[in-house]
Amino acid sequence: MEVSFCCVFWKIKDGRSTLRSSRRHMRRQSLEVIPDSVRAPAAPQLEDMVRRSRWAAGLAPEDVEHVLGSMQERQFARGACIARAGQQVEHWMGLVDGFAKMSVASQEGRISTLTGVSAGVWFGEGSLFKHEARRYDVFALRPTRIALMPRRTFEWLRGTSVPFNHYLQELLNARLSLFIGALAHERLLDTDARVANCLASLFNPDLYPDAPRFLEVGQVEIGLLANVSRQRVNVALRRFQALGLIRLEKRGLTVLDLGGLRGYQQGAVPLSLGG
């Protein structure tokens, strides 16, 4: 980005000329964007996350390098707001490490969690498509690092890469399916079944391609995602463990029977669809 500076000259009585640089110009210079050609290399974790993303597999090596050269990484503490509803969207975001949630809030302060975001997940493409303000908040539930792909790079990929567009179609379809399922579960299922389906949804291969069977997630975080209290989550998890669906660990839980979680019904032995 080129920045032109206006310098003000004036003559003093002895005929000498003096150059004055205003503080405003100094601030503008300090915010100047570094061109892609001289941008610092991407952090190793960010680069690894991008290269492992499904959409990157369809790009030529030089195109991947171009994408990496345009990206930035930001870190957020637990509880920090990663993205705010109402803000104009200028980046496609990917979660490098950590865990976050998407949520919406009413004017009265009521909050509803939409979904969780774990490592390897990309989000925010819908607002970029429509050039509209973001409709939801994104909060870090633990220390989190976010990859930022600028709009110009996102649009360049859309205009030049057929595999990238195919990936976006699959992503949008998977996200639509997730929200339809969540709405149905909220209206039709009891609390334990909602918790089971909440856990199972974190293993959707189109949305969470790198999800390990061990989830480093706490009961409070599960409660936020399933919209139930932590106490009810505790009861449900212990019931799932007794049924052999999960194993509770010190810092989270391990899923033993993913199909059983997906087919869980209150008061009945779950129908396992295969792990």
Side-chain angles (χ1 to χ4, degrees):
M1 180 178 67
E2 296 182 0
V3 180
S4 60
F5 296 92
C6 177
C7 299
V8 181
F9 293 84
W10 72 96
K11 293 184 179 180
I12 58 176
K13 291 182 179 180
D14 59 2
R16 291 175 297 175
S17 298
T18 305
L19 172 65
R20 182 177 67 186
S21 297
S22 70
R23 292 182 179 178
R24 177 181 301 173
H25 295 155
M26 293 175 65
R27 286 196 298 269
R28 290 176 63 187
Q29 186 177 28
S30 67
L31 293 174
E32 184 176 1
V33 175
I34 302 174
D36 291 346
S37 59
V38 296
R39 187 183 298 276
Q45 296 86 351
L46 184 154
E47 180 176 351
D48 182 63
M49 183 258 197
V50 169
R51 292 188 184 279
R52 287 188 293 105
S53 296
R54 286 173 51 194
W55 55 265
L59 301 182
E62 59 270 21
D63 291 340
V64 175
E65 294 299 327
H66 174 75
V67 169
L68 287 170
S70 71
M71 296 188 67
Q72 301 176 27
E73 180 182 313
R74 292 181 184 171
Q75 300 184 20
F76 298 87
R78 179 192 297 269
C81 182
I82 297 172
R84 180 76 65 182
Q87 291 178 335
Q88 289 299 313
V89 179
E90 295 300 332
H91 295 88
W92 194 36
M93 294 185 175
L95 201 141
V96 180
D97 184 56
F99 196 69
K101 69 164 185 172
M102 297 179 182
S103 61
V104 291
S106 68
Q107 293 182 348
E108 295 76 24
R110 295 179 58 193
I111 297 175
S112 177
T113 298
L114 302 176
T115 187
V117 185
S118 59
V121 175
W122 293 87
F123 60 94
E125 62 282 342
S127 298
L128 284 172
F129 286 154
K130 294 176 284 187
H131 295 268
E132 68 176 13
R134 194 181 304 278
R135 295 188 176 186
Y136 52 85
D137 298 310
V138 184
F139 287 96
L141 296 180
R142 67 170 67 112
T144 297
R145 289 182 293 132
I146 296 290
L148 300 174
M149 179 188 292
R151 177 187 290 276
R152 67 178 184 276
T153 303
F154 181 82
E155 295 294 351
W156 174 74
L157 286 172
R158 287 185 64 201
T160 60
S161 173
V162 172
F164 184 74
N165 282 282
H166 287 170
Y167 169 82
L168 292 177
Q169 283 183 313
E170 294 170 359
L171 180 63
L172 289 170
N173 183 60
R175 214 181 296 283
L176 177 61
S177 177
L178 172 71
F179 288 134
I180 290 176
L183 180 61
H185 297 157
E186 181 77 20
R187 294 183 176 182
L188 301 177
L189 299 182
D190 57 49
T191 302
D192 285 359
R194 281 160 50 195
V195 173
N197 279 274
C198 170
L199 293 176
S201 72
L202 297 177
F203 292 91
N204 183 316
D206 293 319
L207 296 175
Y208 308 98
D210 300 324
R213 286 303 176 97
F214 172 74
L215 288 177
E216 189 179 349
V217 61
Q219 295 182 7
V220 172
E221 295 167 342
I222 296 173
L224 290 172
L225 297 178
N227 286 320
V228 301
S229 69
R230 187 200 65 79
Q231 292 79 6
R232 289 297 294 119
V233 170
N234 180 271
V235 172
L237 293 182
R238 294 189 180 280
R239 182 169 290 137
F240 300 159
Q241 180 170 248
L243 291 170
L245 303 180
I246 66 171
R247 181 174 62 247
L248 297 176
E249 312 279 4
K250 184 176 181 179
R251 299 183 60 185
L253 60 90
T254 298
V255 174
L256 304 176
D257 186 353
L258 181 56
L261 284 175
R262 287 173 174 156
Y264 181 85
Q265 293 182 9
Q266 178 70 30
V269 177
L271 174 63
S272 177
L273 304 178

